[in-house]
Amino acid sequence: MRKQIYQRITAVIGADNSQAFFERLYAMELSENPKTQGSFSLRWDNHPYYSTLATEAVESDWTGANMFNIWMYSQEATGEEVNILIYSDNPETTWLDGYTYAIKIDWQGEKRFSIPLEDFKRFENPTGFNNVSAVHFTTKIFGNEPNPYTVLYLDDMSVTYSPEYPITPH
């Protein structure tokens, strides 16, 4: 099983007339290279100014999945920390709720991440992976500061099932 959680983005990566959607993201632009699938990857730079990349164009029900997958290419190892935030907001709480996972940009070149959902840490009181409302990538959270020299390319984002890991309870 494979769910493309970024339905709009993965559809747009293969389309050449999609610049309008990405202009709304501001922090990113289409790039023909490097990439792993489709016609483009997404280039994200200028992290002090654009410290967060966010999308609500995600599949909301991740039931049956247990892995978050993403391909990244880093122009250089800057030591910056990028946090992936998966929002699963609980209307009974005051703050936004969800899950977070930190990736340290300590490599140069391409790297494939397959992260078990059970490795994401809860923040506040999320309702579960069956109620996902958004995914954010951010460099300015939990006391971290963005690095002006980090340039990342993102591609092939999905959630999948792997028999090696348990299904994360909702």
Side-chain angles (χ1 to χ4, degrees):
M1 178 193 69
R2 177 184 179 89
K3 291 185 181 183
Q4 292 293 341
I5 59 169
Y6 286 81
Q7 291 177 337
R8 276 193 193 162
I9 290 178
T10 53
V12 165
I13 287 172
D16 293 330
N17 60 353
S18 56
Q19 190 64 37
F21 175 73
F22 290 101
E23 286 172 0
R24 291 190 319 212
L25 293 176
Y26 302 110
M28 301 193 75
E29 63 186 40
L30 297 174
S31 176
E32 292 180 356
N33 284 304
K35 65 180 186 294
T36 60
Q37 72 166 12
S39 299
F40 303 99
S41 63
L42 305 174
R43 185 178 195 270
W44 179 27
D45 64 1
N46 197 2
H47 293 183
Y49 190 74
Y50 299 115
S51 60
T52 300
L53 167 66
T55 184
E56 293 177 358
V58 297
E59 178 74 33
S60 63
D61 188 354
W62 295 7
T63 301
N66 62 2
M67 304 292 288
F68 177 90
N69 307 291
I70 185 166
W71 173 90
M72 290 185 178
Y73 181 94
S74 176
Q75 283 189 343
E76 66 178 277
T78 61
E80 179 176 61
E81 188 170 285
V82 172
N83 280 271
I84 302 169
L85 304 175
I86 300 171
Y87 287 99
S88 177
D89 197 33
N90 186 335
E92 297 178 11
T93 63
T94 306
W95 309 105
L96 287 174
D97 310 284
Y99 307 91
T100 184
Y101 184 87
I103 294 176
K104 189 169 190 104
I105 310 302
D106 58 2
W107 81 94
Q108 182 177 4
E110 66 180 63
K111 194 168 187 178
R112 176 80 177 157
F113 292 90
S114 291
I115 307 160
L117 293 180
E118 69 180 355
D119 288 357
F120 280 80
K121 294 181 177 126
R122 297 169 66 97
F123 62 90
E124 300 301 327
N125 189 25
T127 57
F129 287 108
N130 62 337
N131 186 37
V132 174
S133 60
V135 176
H136 292 195
F137 295 85
T138 186
T139 61
K140 191 170 186 169
I141 194 169
F142 308 127
N144 296 322
E145 288 298 320
N147 186 311
Y149 302 107
T150 302
V151 178
L152 296 174
Y153 296 81
L154 294 86
D155 200 359
D156 197 17
M157 295 174 272
S158 64
V159 290
T160 57
Y161 171 76
S162 171
E164 297 175 38
Y165 298 95
I167 295 291
T168 301
H170 301 293

